[in-house]
Amino acid sequence: MFEKLRSMVRFLDSDSKTDLTKKSDNDHMTQFMTLGNFSLGMGKIGPANRDDIDKQILNMMYERVAAGDFNIPVESNLPEICVDGRTDKNGSRKRAPSAAGGTLSIVYGFDLGNSESVDKKTEIELTAKVIDILKNKKHTTAVHGDDHSDCGCGACAKAPDIYRYIIKEIDAITTLTNNYGISISDTEKAYVTKTAEKRLNQSDFFAEDRSSVIEAARSHGADYEELVDAHNELGIALNVKAGTTVDRAAIRREFGHQYDLFVVDAWTFDNAARELNAENHPEVADRISKAIAIQNVATASILGHSSLPIIPIK
């Protein structure tokens, strides 16, 4: 799946006639497709809700991010830290690939894409199982909180809502993924939505205390980051450049503390799926990878405003 995604992003970047990037006659701003172009985005985080940003600076940030100017190498090849654009109190982030919820993105993708193998487990049990599998394979795992709430990770705090959103908006979600080269079939959509519905009907699956999921991950060896301040994300960096992530701290240093991005290192999804596919069935690994992609889009749509642009990195 990753190779198709990378090829599609390259195609979109090189096609001047696509709607993905075009010049406005009015302000000469580069325009990217937004969540709203796919009828997604019900949250508050996004440029339309901000009055503290300069459009020219914002456009410069988008273009430089799209050009890969802020990509930095990473050693891990699995999603590890969250897409969250914030930093810790020292203004830094762990240098590792990102997905919605960090390692929890793998947990939820594994659940949605291969539910038969974890039938009847609770969210806490599933979290422990996935982290133990990855730990036994010598992978580093990570989650995060923040300095002002009980559960500072939106992907975790809103996981039940994200599952509901997947059921309701699966067609819009997969229209977006299809646009960026991740083709999800009707059969795969049905599998993921059926699993989401089953989990919502399983009374003991989602933990009532959302912070307990983070604590379960930490107790099984996941690293922990405490992030600070408010969400200032102004876009979604879609990174398919293998072996890299986007340096949030460098973006802040360059443009200011109010200029943040969500970072989705989509090149890692296939890697994570293969690590959890113990039976070595390619179709199962493919479905897990796509389920991770669906969970990332749904999380972005729960948290993000419809004005949030998607910025493919060349």
Side-chain angles (χ1 to χ4, degrees), residues 71-144:
N71 279 54
I72 54 174
V74 291
E75 292 185 3
S76 175
N77 66 352
L78 303 186
E80 191 172 319
I81 66 171
C82 189
V83 297
D84 202 308
R86 297 175 294 172
T87 64
D88 64 20
K89 63 182 180 180
N90 297 317
S92 63
R93 288 297 300 274
K94 184 178 182 181
R95 182 178 283 206
S98 304
T103 300
L104 292 180
S105 184
I106 307 176
V107 172
Y108 296 125
F110 184 47
D111 181 43
L112 292 166
N114 192 25
S115 63
E116 289 94 342
S117 68
V118 290
D119 194 34
K120 301 300 183 183
K121 286 188 179 295
T122 67
E123 181 184 21
I124 297 290
E125 291 169 340
L126 182 59
T127 298
K129 176 183 174 69
V130 168
I131 288 179
D132 285 345
I133 290 172
L134 297 176
K135 182 169 62 176
N136 289 337
K137 293 188 174 186
K138 309 302 181 186
H139 291 293
T140 303
T141 57
V143 292
H144 82 91

Side-chain angles (χ1 to χ4, degrees), residues 81-94 98-99 101-102 143-149 151-154 224-231 233 248 252 260-262:
I81 66 171
C82 189
V83 297
D84 202 308
R86 297 175 294 172
T87 64
D88 64 20
K89 63 182 180 180
N90 297 317
S92 63
R93 288 297 300 274
K94 184 178 182 181
S98 304
V143 292
H144 82 91
D146 63 26
D147 63 345
H148 56 269
S149 61
C151 185
C153 175
Y224 179 77
E225 291 184 299
E226 183 177 274
L227 307 182
V228 300
D229 299 330
H231 281 284
E233 290 88 355
R248 282 92 148 169
R252 283 189 171 196
D260 286 341
L261 287 172
F262 291 115

Side-chain angles (χ1 to χ4, degrees), residues 6-58:
R6 183 165 58 183
S7 297
M8 180 62 73
V9 169
R10 285 175 176 168
F11 169 76
L12 291 172
D13 282 336
S14 63
D15 185 357
S16 62
K17 296 181 180 180
T18 181
D19 287 335
L20 181 65
T21 58
K22 60 184 180 181
K23 295 294 183 182
S24 166
D25 292 334
N26 295 325
D27 56 15
H28 302 287
M29 295 281 284
T30 302
Q31 300 296 313
F32 293 87
M33 296 286 279
T34 67
L35 290 178
N37 289 127
F38 302 96
S39 300
L40 297 169
M42 59 177 288
K44 296 180 179 180
I45 302 171
N49 292 328
R50 299 281 294 280
D51 58 8
D52 61 338
I53 53 176
D54 181 287
K55 286 187 176 180
Q56 288 187 330
I57 293 176
L58 184 60

